Each structure stands twice: as C-alpha cells, then as structure tokens.
Amino acid sequence: MTKSELIAELSAAHPHLSARDIELIVHTILSEISSALARGDRVEIRGFGAFVVKRRDARQGRNPRTGTTVSVGEKTIPFFKAGKELRERVNHQGRKNA
C-alpha cells in the first residue's frame, strides 16, 4: 500500500474528514517518526511495532562485479520490529487465506 492509497482508504473510512486533513495527519505522523529516528530515538506503537535505529560497524566488503575488497563505513539504519498483535494478526490472516 502506498501513502496515497492509505490516504484514500482513510478518506473512504472517515467521510466526515476532508482528504486534505487526512493527508496532513498521515504526513505529520510519518514526519514525526522520521524525525525521532533521525535523533536516535525509539518509536513504539503498541500493538503494531517499534521503529529503532541500529548501528552497523565499519567492515571490509567485496565488489561483486570485480571481486576487489572495498571499505564500507559505519552507518545507522532504521529497523522495524513487528509487535505481537501485528504478528498474530498477519499469521492468522495467512492461515485463513491458505
């Protein structure tokens, strides 16, 4: 689902809100999650999951095309860990459709 599809579904589910208001809400939530991760904070949404920033150490990698060794610097990456309720819901839906 894309951001625009999410906004369209929320607009259909909540006709009393304007599409512009829903777009602002979705943008604000995603922006706040991004800002928190950029600061190194953890964002937890109960029943859904947690967004955290993980650190990857510098290492020696390999160029797959040439096989030469290259130095890969240290970096931080965003990581999402699904919550228990989300995992159970996804697994339950998967069994239902199988």
Side-chain angles (χ1 to χ4, degrees), residues 16-77:
H16 60 283
L17 295 171
S18 72
R20 179 168 282 157
D21 288 341
I22 291 174
E23 185 175 356
L24 178 63
I25 291 167
V26 170
H27 176 72
T28 302
I29 290 170
L30 296 177
S31 178
E32 287 300 315
I33 290 172
S34 297
S35 296
L37 291 174
R39 290 189 306 269
D41 295 340
R42 180 177 194 264
V43 178
E44 182 177 339
I45 302 171
R46 299 283 175 166
F48 183 71
F51 297 90
V52 295
V53 176
K54 290 192 173 188
R55 187 177 140 264
R56 289 202 176 161
D57 293 329
R59 61 184 174 83
Q60 291 297 314
R62 189 180 65 81
N63 181 331
R65 181 173 287 164
T66 63
T68 59
T69 301
V70 293
S71 184
V72 179
E74 177 184 294
K75 59 181 143 184
T76 55
I77 58 162

